[in-house]
Amino acid sequence: MKLFDLLLPMRCAVCGGGGAQLCASCRERLPRLEPPLCDRCGAPTAWPVARCRECSGRRLAFTSARAAVAYDDDVRRLVRAWKERGLRRLAPEAAAAVIGVVPRPCCGALAFVPPDRARNLERGHHPAERLARELGERWSLPVLSLVRRTRPVPRQRGLALAERRRNVVGAFAPATQVPPAVALVDDVYTSGATATAAASALRKGGARRVEVVTFARVVR
Ligand SMILES: [Zn+2]
Ligand SMILES: [Zn+2]
């Protein structure tokens, strides 16, 4: 834990109020993603569907994707505080939100999207792995490093979907023998490009079923 994390008075990452890194009323107001959802990509829909406008016709390497909350302005503030300002107490908050919304995946192990080495060193921690470890404890599932990066990936932020996909193709490889059913954990599902690239690495390594679990999801 960084020193400033211990010494500074705690302020809510969303509203700035004192006392906690996420205050009770902001926690209460998190925009939880409840059904009906697209069965495949987890996008909120008017009624349950097998594929939705966002994912139909796309080749997705994962069986399903589920997220706890919509990535709105408040959640963006929260995720930035967690990822970029290194407020680690937010990892258990994110895990609690996931547990409250996302059913426990049918899998033998949790994997996580591996950190980009340069960015990880810069920040000194890795939110996706922390979230996977918090979820592993609560769901009683082992957390394994099953995916590795083959090369650094340029920032995805601000890129169109086609560019995002190109950006991450072949960027991941299986790190070891992969169990048949795995859940892949990441902090935010944006376009599904990273999830699909990492899931296809897991499948190359032997997984037949990959469920993606994230804290937040961009809702279009
Ligand atoms: Zn608050
Ligand atoms: Zn969909």
Side-chain angles (χ1 to χ4, degrees), residues 22-33:
L22 177 63
C23 76
S25 80
C26 290
R27 183 191 296 125
E28 200 54 48
R29 280 187 294 117
L30 286 175
R32 292 174 177 79
L33 288 169

Side-chain angles (χ1 to χ4, degrees), residues 102-122:
V102 178
R104 184 183 187 276
C106 305
C107 65
L110 299 180
F112 50 88
V113 173
D116 183 288
R117 194 176 298 165
R119 259 177 266 159
N120 190 42
L121 283 179
E122 189 181 298

Side-chain angles (χ1 to χ4, degrees), residues 6-220:
L6 293 169
L7 295 181
L8 284 183
M10 281 206 273
R11 299 211 154 275
C12 173
V14 176
C15 72
Q21 287 183 351
L22 177 63
C23 76
S25 80
C26 290
R27 183 191 296 125
E28 200 54 48
R29 280 187 294 117
L30 286 175
R32 292 174 177 79
L33 288 169
E34 311 280 4
L37 303 170
C38 169
D39 193 45
R40 191 65 181 272
C41 76
T45 46
W47 51 82
V49 291
R51 298 289 292 247
C52 69
R53 209 172 38 182
E54 185 180 321
C55 74
S56 69
R58 283 182 64 190
R59 209 178 296 165
L60 298 173
F62 50 82
T63 312
S64 68
R66 289 294 180 272
V69 301
Y71 194 60
D72 67 2
D73 288 342
D74 286 351
V75 172
R76 181 173 299 119
R77 237 172 273 142
L78 188 67
V79 168
R80 288 217 173 135
W82 177 25
K83 291 178 69 170
E84 291 167 22
R85 286 163 51 207
L87 301 187
R88 290 150 203 242
R89 289 188 188 93
L90 293 175
E93 292 284 358
V98 171
I99 299 285
V101 174
V102 178
R104 184 183 187 276
C106 305
C107 65
L110 299 180
F112 50 88
V113 173
D116 183 288
R117 194 176 298 165
R119 259 177 266 159
N120 190 42
L121 283 179
E122 189 181 298
R123 291 177 195 143
H125 77 301
H126 181 46
E129 180 176 355
R130 279 297 306 275
L131 178 58
R133 300 211 175 275
E134 296 282 346
L135 291 174
E137 261 173 49
R138 290 165 168 81
W139 278 331
S140 302
L141 286 167
V143 179
L144 307 174
S145 295
L146 297 176
V147 190
R148 62 182 177 80
R149 286 189 188 261
T150 56
R151 57 176 170 82
V153 171
R155 273 189 191 282
Q156 294 280 76
R157 196 181 291 164
L159 297 181
L161 179 58
E163 294 172 286
R164 281 172 178 268
R165 255 182 254 156
R166 263 199 305 277
N167 212 10
V168 290
V169 165
F172 301 102
T176 174
Q177 181 72 30
V178 178
V182 178
L184 174 71
V185 177
D186 203 0
D187 37 55
V188 182
Y189 179 106
T190 308
S191 66
T194 300
T196 236
S200 75
L202 287 167
R203 292 180 52 171
K204 267 184 209 136
R208 286 194 301 274
R209 194 187 149 78
V210 179
E211 293 177 61
V212 174
V213 175
T214 62
F215 166 59
R217 186 198 198 286
V218 170
V219 173
R220 290 179 174 80

